[in-house]
Amino acid sequence: MMEQSIYILLSIISFKSIIWVVLGVTLGIVVGAVPGLTATMAVALLLSVTYGMDTSAALAVLISVYLGGIYGGSRSAILLNVPGTPSSAATALDGFPLAQKGEATAASLVATIGSAVGGLIGVLILAVAAPVISKGALKIAAWEYFWMAIFGIAISANLSGKSVVKGLVAGMLGLLITTIGLDPVYGGLRLTFGSRQLVGGVSMLPAMIGLFGFTEAICAITSKETTQKICNINNKESLIRSFVYASKKIVKLPKLTLISSVIGTFIGAVPGVGPDIASWVAYDTAKRKSRNKEEFGRGSYEGLLASETANNAATSGVFIPLLTLGIPGCAVSAVILGGMRLHGLRPGPTFFIDQKQLIFYIIGILVLTNIFIIIIGTMCTKILSQVIKVQYGIIMPIVIVFSVIGSYAMSYRSFDIIIMFVFGLIGFCMRKANMPVAPMVLGLILGDIVETNFRKALIVNNSFMPFFTRPISLSIVIIMLILFVYPIIKQRFFPAIKK
C-alpha cells in the first residue's frame, strides 16, 4: 500500500505531469478569458489530441484545461464586464465595478486566490465524502430538478436591486425564450415564426455574449460618463502589495469562503447543474448574510469572492457523480467522460474498486491544477490588468469584434451573430428601463431544466401532488417560502432591526 501511494505521488509530481498541467491551465485561462471560447469547446477540441496520449497525460490535460477555463472567465468579467464563461456571469456584477474604482489587480487576485481555495476545498470534499454525496444526488428525480430550477429563478429576484418584480419579469422572459424551437417531448415546433434557424432554439452562448458584451459596448459608446470612468482607472499598485491586500481580504472572510466552497461542491455534485448555477446560489447566499448588502453590484469583494470560490469548487464537485455513478455533472464533465471512455475507462459504482490508483491520480491532478491556478493566474494578472488602460475608443470595438467572433465560433452559423446583436439590443433596452440582465441569463440557463423535468414528472405520475409530497421537493418549497416571506415579515413588523 505504501509503495502504491509513493508511486501515485511520484506520478502526480513528475515533470511530465507538471508540464501538461501548466500548459493546460495556461490554455484554459486564455480560452476562458476570451468571450465566446468556452471551456467546453476547448476540452472537446482537445479530445482528438489526447487520443494518442497515455491515459494519465490525457486526464491531466483535460482536467487542467477545464479548471483553467472556468477560472479564466473571471478575467474578462472583471476587466470588461464580459463573462468569459457562463459561470463567471455573477463575477461581473462586482468585479467590473471594482475595476472601475481602480482595483482591477486586487479584484483579479481575489478571484485567483478564491478560485484556488474553493477548488482545493472541493477536492477535499470529493476525497472524503464522494460516496455519501453521490448517493444523495442519486435520489434526486424530475420533481426535485424542477423545484431546484425554480429556486434558481427565485434567487434572481434577490439579485435585482430594489425591484424584485423587474427581476422576476426578466427571469420569466428568459424562461419564455427557452421555449423557442422543438418541443422536447412531442417534437412540435414552437415560436419559430417559420424560421428554420430557430428550430434548434436560441443558442445560449451568442445570447449571453449579446446581453453582456455587446450591451456593455453600446452602453459605453452612448455614455460619456462611463467612458470617463474607464479612462481614469488608476492601477499603479505593485503586484506583491496587491497580492497581500487580496490575501488579507480573503483571510477576513473565512466563513464566506468555506460556505461558498461547500455550496459550490454540493451543487456541482448534482448532475446537470454545474458551476453556472453554483456561482449564483453562492452569490445570493453571500448577499443575504452580508452586513453590507448595499455594496453588492457596486463593487463588493464579498460578492466577487463568493462567485469565484463557488464556481471553482463546483469543478471538483462535478467529479463526484462522474467517478462514482458515471453521470456527468455538467457539459464539460460530459466531454471529459467521453475522453475517459476513449481511453477504455468506465466510471461507475465499481470504479473506486477497479481503478483506485487512477482515482487518487485524478484527485492529485485537481490539487496540482488549483495550485498552478494561483501561480499562473498571479503572474499574468498585471499583464491582463493593463487592458483597462487602453483607450475606450480602442477597447470597445475590440469587445464588439470578440463578441462577433465568439458568437460565430461555436457553431459557425452567421445566424448566431444576428442572435448576439438582437440580445445586445434587448440588454441595452433593459439597462435603460433599469431591469437587471442577470435574471434573464439565469432563466436562459435553467429554462430547459424547468420544462423538461416538469413534463417528465407529469408523464411518470399524472398528478401535481408529488411536487409537494416528496420529502426533498417539499423541503425546497418550504425553503423558498421562508426566503420570500421572512424579509416581508421582517420589514413590516420589525422595521427597526438593521439588515
Side-chain angles (χ1 to χ4, degrees), residues 60-74:
V61 171
L62 295 177
I63 291 172
S64 58
V65 170
Y66 171 34
L67 269 64
I70 297 298
Y71 156 71
S74 66

Side-chain angles (χ1 to χ4, degrees), residues 381-398:
T381 292
K382 205 67 177 179
I383 299 172
L384 290 175
S385 294
Q386 301 305 312
V387 171
I388 58 175
K389 287 188 175 182
V390 179
Q391 290 183 2
Y392 222 67
I394 297 175
I395 202 165
M396 279 303 109
I398 293 175

Side-chain angles (χ1 to χ4, degrees), residues 208-225:
M208 290 188 63
I209 292 174
L211 286 171
F212 283 100
F214 193 65
T215 296
E216 184 61 37
I218 298 174
C219 290
I221 292 170
T222 57
S223 173
K224 294 181 180 179
E225 181 183 357

Side-chain angles (χ1 to χ4, degrees), residues 389-412:
K389 287 188 175 182
V390 179
Q391 290 183 2
Y392 222 67
I394 297 175
I395 202 165
M396 279 303 109
I398 293 175
V399 169
I400 294 174
V401 169
F402 271 122
S403 297
V404 172
I405 293 174
S407 301
Y408 182 76
M410 190 69 182
S411 302
Y412 300 105

Side-chain angles (χ1 to χ4, degrees), residues 120-205:
L120 290 172
I121 294 175
V123 173
L124 179 63
I125 297 174
L126 166 64
V128 174
V132 178
I133 297 176
S134 62
K135 288 180 182 178
L138 190 61
K139 294 179 182 179
I140 296 176
W143 298 271
E144 288 76 28
Y145 277 121
F146 168 77
W147 281 123
M148 286 178 67
I150 292 297
F151 183 67
I153 300 300
I155 285 174
S156 67
N158 294 286
L159 302 175
S160 309
K162 296 180 180 179
S163 178
V164 176
V165 175
K166 287 184 177 180
L168 286 175
V169 169
M172 294 306 165
L173 184 58
L175 285 178
L176 177 64
I177 292 170
T178 60
T179 62
I180 297 173
L182 285 173
D183 184 301
V185 177
Y186 299 108
L189 292 176
R190 306 177 303 185
L191 303 176
T192 59
F193 304 103
S195 173
R196 295 178 60 185
Q197 299 286 356
L198 289 174
V199 170
V202 174
S203 301
M204 185 186 299
L205 188 63

Side-chain angles (χ1 to χ4, degrees), residues 212-286:
F212 283 100
F214 193 65
T215 296
E216 184 61 37
I218 298 174
C219 290
I221 292 170
T222 57
S223 173
K224 294 181 180 179
E225 181 183 357
T226 305
T227 306
Q228 188 66 28
K229 284 182 180 179
I230 294 296
C231 292
N232 285 336
I233 285 177
N234 178 19
N235 191 28
K236 296 180 180 179
E237 198 74 60
S238 70
L239 184 60
I240 296 176
R241 292 181 65 180
S242 295
F243 188 87
V244 173
Y245 177 76
S247 300
K248 288 180 179 179
K249 284 284 185 183
I250 295 175
V251 169
K252 290 179 180 178
L253 300 167
K255 188 176 180 181
L256 173 64
T257 303
L258 180 61
I259 291 174
S260 299
S261 299
V262 173
I263 288 173
T265 306
F266 275 73
I267 290 179
V270 178
V273 183
D276 306 358
I277 298 173
S279 62
W280 286 110
V281 174
Y283 184 90
D284 182 68
T285 303

